[in-house]
Amino acid sequence: PPSSFYSSTRYRFPTYSCLNLSDAPLNRIGQVITQLADRDILPWLELNRDPSDAEAHRSATIVADRLCSALTNPILRNAQEQRQLLRAKEWLEQRGYVQVQIPGLLFSTLRPGTFAFRLNVKVRQDLGTRTVNIPVDIVIMPRSAKVEELPLLVEAKSAGDFTNTNKRRKEEAIKITQLRKTYGENVRFILLLCGYFDSGYLGYEAAEGIDWFWEHRMDDLERFGV
């Protein structure tokens, strides 16, 4: 759009009488937007002046980049996690494991030498008064599993930058806490990682008793008895 688009004094949005909006709600919306606006990107707001053409162009470029990242990161992350599951499937089948695909399958009923994807695991909440399902990406019952032994639960995680992992690291801690409260301390829950996971993230997970292995080192699964 032309630079005049970014100047509040040179551009006015059209009004639509059919919306029947009074000035009060619009003013509140404007106040919220103003409060959320990043002054480092839109410096003219702090100075209460119109932006120069260079400032408007630079700010629009930054905002567009952030918008693209917000839209594409989930798409890329989902594609990466699908690839992780495919890698795990290939690795397991090469070692004689068989994938099980049964609607309503319970993770605790898997037979030794089998695995399944995207299973819901029931856990207790609210001091055991109700249960909820938490999704687990990969559930593996080792061939050497003993009677009543629980399968290995694997969560596939990928990240395109370090910042995002800091926001998500509590998700796994909540899951392992719920699993232990429901199935005991012997439940095994590990991570399959791909991408940018720094020492801060890994240290946080280790403190919660959560181990991990990397997509490019699938053979490390053998260390977990698989």
Side-chain angles (χ1 to χ4, degrees):
S3 60
S4 59
F5 176 86
Y6 306 99
S7 172
S8 58
T9 60
R10 289 175 290 174
Y11 181 88
R12 294 292 185 269
F13 286 100
T15 58
Y16 299 93
S17 57
C18 60
L19 294 178
N20 195 27
L21 292 175
S22 65
D23 289 343
L26 292 176
N27 286 335
R28 287 197 293 270
I29 293 173
Q31 290 171 2
V32 172
I33 295 175
T34 301
Q35 291 173 357
L36 295 176
D38 190 335
R39 265 53 179 181
D40 291 332
I41 299 177
L42 313 171
W44 61 87
L45 294 179
E46 198 70 33
L47 301 174
N48 194 27
R49 61 172 175 80
D50 290 344
S52 67
D53 289 347
E55 287 175 325
H57 183 270
R58 180 174 62 249
S59 299
T61 302
I62 296 173
V63 171
D65 179 70
R66 289 187 174 183
L67 177 60
C68 288
S69 295
L71 294 175
T72 59
N73 281 346
I75 298 173
L76 293 174
R77 185 166 63 247
N78 290 336
Q80 289 170 338
E81 290 178 358
Q82 287 296 327
R83 189 193 64 242
Q84 287 176 288
L85 298 186
L86 179 60
R87 289 287 306 277
K89 174 182 171 68
E90 293 173 346
W91 190 91
L92 289 165
E93 289 181 341
Q94 288 173 0
R95 286 153 182 79
Y97 282 81
V98 178
Q99 182 178 1
V100 179
Q101 302 182 67
I102 302 175
L105 176 68
L106 298 177
F107 88 108
S108 56
T109 61
L110 281 177
R111 299 176 63 84
T114 62
F115 68 96
F117 291 143
R118 309 293 192 188
L119 282 190
N120 287 325
V121 177
K122 289 187 178 295
V123 295
R124 288 196 295 267
Q125 280 193 334
D126 300 333
L127 301 177
T129 58
R130 72 186 185 97
T131 61
V132 297
N133 287 325
I134 61 172
V136 177
D137 293 323
I138 313 172
V139 181
I140 309 170
M141 183 63 82
R143 286 194 297 266
S144 59
K146 300 177 181 178
V147 178
E148 297 185 355
E149 181 176 332
L150 292 174
L152 177 66
L153 309 179
V154 183
E155 184 84 354
K157 309 294 289 189
S158 66
D161 59 78
F162 292 119
T163 303
N164 192 46
T165 59
N166 292 330
K167 298 176 182 177
R168 299 165 58 199
R169 64 185 184 181
K170 291 185 179 180
E171 297 173 3
E172 294 78 35
I174 293 172
K175 279 190 177 183
I176 190 62
T177 298
Q178 293 174 329
L179 288 166
R180 286 170 179 163
K181 286 182 178 179
T182 307
Y183 301 102
E185 293 295 323
N186 292 328
V187 67
R188 296 192 298 161
F189 177 78
I190 64 174
L191 306 175
L192 168 55
L193 301 180
C194 167
Y196 295 82
F197 293 92
D198 59 10
S199 58
Y201 176 91
L202 298 177
Y204 185 94
E205 303 301 342
E208 296 294 334
I210 302 175
D211 210 335
W212 62 84
F213 66 105
W214 297 91
E215 179 187 341
H216 64 279
R217 294 183 49 169
M218 291 297 299
D219 288 345
D220 284 351
L221 252 180
E222 296 176 348
R223 298 174 178 237
F224 301 97
V226 178

